[in-house]
Amino acid sequence: MHYALDENYFRGYEWWLMKEAKKRNPNITLMGLPWSFPGWLGHGFNWPYENLQLTAYYVITWIVGAKHYHDLDIDYIGIWNERSFNINYIKVLRQMLNYQGLQHVKIIASDNLWEPISASMLLDSELLKAIDVIGAHYPGTYTVKDAKLTKKKLWSSEDFSTFNNDVGAGCWGRILNQNYVNGNMTSTIAWNLVASYYEQLPYGRCGLMTAQEPWSGHYVVESPIWVSAHTTQFTQPGWYYLKTVGHLEKGGSYVALTDGLGNLTIIIETMSHTHSKCIRPLLPYFNVSHQFATFVLKGSFSKIPELQVWHTKLGKSSERSLFKQLDSLWLLDSNGSFTLELQEDELFTLTTLTSGSKGSYPLPPKSQPFPLIYKDDFNVDYPFFSEAPNFADQTGVFEYFMNTEDPGEHRFTLRQVLNQRPITWAADASNTISVIGDYKWSNMRIKCDVYIETPENGGVFIAGRVNKGGIWIRSARGIFFWIFANGTYRVTGDLAGWIIYALGKAEVTAQEWYTLTLTINGPFSSGMLNGKPLWTNVRVNFPKNGWAAIGTHSFEFAQFDNFHVEAQPDTHRAP
């Protein structure tokens, strides 16, 4: 719903991803959490709580649409990612969910810090009843007294976001256990699942695995995936932690879970301080050393005859192993007692479940840089996804579009479809922009057909050497070639338009197609309009490299077609 009455339940990749996840594990939990909201909900303010009923209606239509169009049941819904919550909104959302017959959809709040949501719940019985789970982000394995006093489920509803090498895997292994041991958190959710975005964007390779080259098909199943398997392959939603969990004498921790039907899973980690630092918060020093740990199974578990054993060792390549099945432990003659030798940076899973499997996957294609020559005419009749491949929208939304009134060359285009600024999570730019290509590119030629839809105030650009994205997009530098519906052009050194290299008149108006060409070679850049030079030899000293990009002057409808970029191989380009 980019604008009011714009209901569309087929945009983006998330529907596909949820359905693929359900195929693999029908018991997987599905959650929704708004990071930003469409601007029309704010009535001119960057605030989603102007009309509580309208915002709740927007969220609920998404939940209903998930079921109606995709047969997906959303289990939990959040409030606003890492931003202010509104007590009355949470109550209205609960009331409207119930009215729509969605009592099974639980509310998680507030996806920020433990406070002030926990104290607010203790002071307001209706709010306490409305919220099912308190979710905190990056809690450092600890909770607070008020959160415990609510008697609600406590979750680390966003965690990890750490570079996915073995240190990231150590971080993940440590917090998966210690979020419960130290903080009674029964769920830990990794942001993000798969690092499928340009690595030079913020939080590059902070996914559990890496798949950031759709042009080559290359991917890497990183070590955090196998650390996850130590927990996720041997538990399911509905299992519960036993109270007999804790820290090991010489560092590390252990947890135990059961399904209540006799199955048992024990997970032990000995991650060292050096090899388990997460991106946040600061990790106080602790020591882990070689030790022997004895465990005794009591009660009904004392009759377990055998435990399967899975092991991971992070660190030196000569000792490293990931999610390897070892010989099982036989307990028939031991009265349920067993002793393990534990080194630093290890994970053990001991379980009654025999379903564990490391699995296999085809050898990925070799890693390749982004093609030096890349073209896209956007001629896709029935696109599988709404977005064009390899373009990464940083502000705004660029979607495949069909011009029903244009049977000619521009029947199929890429269109920027946001017509007002969203209620933002981060400090988005005032312009829209989508980047593409290789961040290392320096010398390049970008050519694209453009169509300004907004008379008088409309404007579009093509750009090269764009050096920032994500949460830093407002301050992105580069070489930006703009044309405007008022018959002018501009060349700027930044997206915001403060650094002006050249400007002048151009034969440009709205609702006509034009071809822009931007050439960047060393310290010089030139631009053409419809194949004729418009400006030449504009000197640019910074930045030295970056992505190609397209975009608009404001949140406005505009179209792009026949995108073509050619980059020059440069042995002196930035690393």
Side-chain angles (χ1 to χ4, degrees), residues 145-417:
K145 182 180 178 182
D146 280 354
K148 291 180 181 177
L149 287 174
T150 65
K151 301 288 187 6
K152 297 289 184 176
K153 290 180 181 177
L154 308 181
W155 287 6
S156 175
S157 51
E158 184 180 315
D159 222 324
F160 180 62
S161 73
T162 298
F163 192 79
N164 59 18
N165 57 9
D166 274 12
V167 173
C171 152
W172 186 228
R174 176 176 57 79
I175 64 178
L176 275 174
N177 263 24
Q178 294 195 27
N179 274 348
Y180 183 74
V181 172
N182 299 336
N184 293 112
M185 287 165 263
T186 56
S187 175
T188 298
I189 299 172
W191 186 91
N192 55 67
L193 181 64
V194 183
S196 287
Y197 45 92
Y198 293 114
E199 188 169 335
Q200 295 83 3
L201 288 170
Y203 305 102
R205 273 188 58 188
C206 285
L208 297 179
M209 63 176 284
T210 305
Q212 58 190 19
E213 293 182 14
W215 52 89
S216 72
H218 177 73
Y219 63 92
V220 183
V221 181
E222 310 280 6
S223 48
I225 284 285
W226 302 117
V227 168
S228 304
H230 274 275
T231 296
T232 58
Q233 282 206 21
F234 308 108
T235 60
Q236 286 283 350
W239 284 51
Y240 56 90
Y241 285 93
L242 301 178
K243 291 182 179 178
T244 49
V245 302
H247 291 276
L248 297 165
E249 186 177 340
K250 294 188 177 180
S253 66
Y254 62 95
V255 296
L257 301 99
T258 182
D259 61 357
L261 302 172
N263 282 307
L264 175 69
T265 291
I266 303 167
I267 304 146
I268 303 157
E269 61 82 21
T270 57
M271 298 302 155
S272 64
H273 183 270
T274 304
H275 295 134
S276 72
K277 289 179 182 176
C278 303
I279 195 169
R280 68 179 80 86
L282 184 69
L283 182 62
Y285 182 75
F286 60 87
N287 188 57
V288 177
S289 58
H290 173 247
Q291 61 190 306
F292 291 89
T294 299
F295 298 83
V296 181
L297 306 184
K298 294 185 175 181
S300 60
F301 295 133
S302 65
K303 297 180 174 62
I304 292 173
E306 181 185 10
L307 289 173
Q308 308 298 313
V309 182
W310 292 83
H311 174 253
T312 287
K313 170 67 174 174
L314 301 173
K316 297 177 185 175
S317 57
S318 58
E319 303 171 352
R320 189 174 182 264
S321 67
L322 297 173
F323 198 58
K324 182 179 179 182
Q325 187 168 18
L326 305 182
D327 291 340
S328 57
L329 277 176
W330 288 91
L331 305 174
L332 284 173
D333 302 322
S334 65
N335 295 319
S337 174
F338 59 91
T339 299
L340 295 177
E341 182 179 5
L342 305 173
Q343 308 285 349
E344 288 183 31
D345 301 320
E346 286 188 315
L347 269 167
F348 281 92
T349 296
L350 303 103
T351 181
T352 55
L353 298 183
T354 57
S355 54
S357 170
K358 185 159 186 179
S360 61
Y361 51 91
L363 186 68
K366 288 184 179 179
S367 174
Q368 300 283 348
F370 195 94
L372 289 172
I373 300 175
Y374 183 79
K375 300 177 182 180
D376 196 337
D377 59 14
F378 311 114
N379 289 352
V380 182
D381 203 345
Y382 296 101
F384 191 73
F385 293 118
S386 57
E387 298 164 297
N390 302 314
F391 282 90
D393 302 352
Q394 302 304 298
T395 298
V397 177
F398 295 75
E399 293 183 348
Y400 284 119
F401 181 68
M402 184 169 70
N403 286 309
T404 54
E405 298 175 2
D406 186 342
E409 182 188 3
H410 301 297
R411 182 169 175 79
F412 297 101
T413 66
L414 191 70
R415 190 187 195 210
Q416 200 296 119
V417 295

